[in-house]
Amino acid sequence: MHNLANRGLETFLRSNYGGEAWADIALHAGIKVDEFATWRSSTDIITGTVVVSAAKHLKKPPGELLEDIGEWLTQQEQIRRLLRFSGSSFEEFVYSLQDISGRINLVVPDLKFSDLHVQEPYPRHFRIMSGRDQRHAMRVLMGALRG
């Protein structure tokens, strides 16, 4: 996992639950409090360990925590500005998700994100699928759509 994502996780936890909570989560995850340099990568195991440690600390399921992160991301001004370029309606936004991996690659070439495929089996009922195992990212996306 790219540390940009890990740093986002850390920033979410610090801003919503405080530095003391982050220090406790990091301790239980077996990482240093200042572990995540945004320009480096780490293993998916580290990311998963931090998510599980944070979920335990916060007494909530990991999937719910990931959805909360997605919702929080949409409230960040820098992200909100970027989302404005993703369509003028919810439907346009959802279909624009098919371009997200290419957009991510333009900005952060070594951040691997699988292509998303959108289907609309019924009017305003969307199915968003990923080409590879991205269940954590999909839970973050669910939160972003909720936000």
Side-chain angles (χ1 to χ4, degrees), residues 80-87 96 103:
R80 290 183 71 77
R81 278 191 236 133
L82 289 174
L83 292 176
R84 284 188 222 141
F85 295 106
S86 298
S96 76
R103 292 179 186 179

Side-chain angles (χ1 to χ4, degrees), residues 48-60:
T49 302
V50 173
V51 168
V52 168
S53 178
K56 284 181 183 176
H57 180 85
L58 301 172
K59 297 177 176 59
K60 63 172 60 181

Side-chain angles (χ1 to χ4, degrees), residues 104-116:
I104 289 171
N105 263 348
L106 287 172
V107 179
V108 188
D110 58 335
L111 178 58
K112 303 299 177 217
F113 194 82
S114 185
D115 289 339
L116 298 177

Side-chain angles (χ1 to χ4, degrees), residues 61-81:
E64 187 178 317
L65 173 65
L66 292 167
E67 288 181 33
D68 290 348
I69 292 167
E71 187 173 359
W72 172 80
L73 282 169
T74 64
Q75 298 167 6
Q76 305 311 299
E77 186 56 34
Q78 302 90 334
I79 302 291
R80 290 183 71 77
R81 278 191 236 133

Side-chain angles (χ1 to χ4, degrees), residues 13-32:
L13 292 167
R14 282 181 184 269
S15 66
N16 286 284
Y17 302 101
E20 197 171 301
W22 167 247
D24 189 52
I25 291 164
L27 176 70
H28 285 89
I31 62 168
K32 298 176 188 162

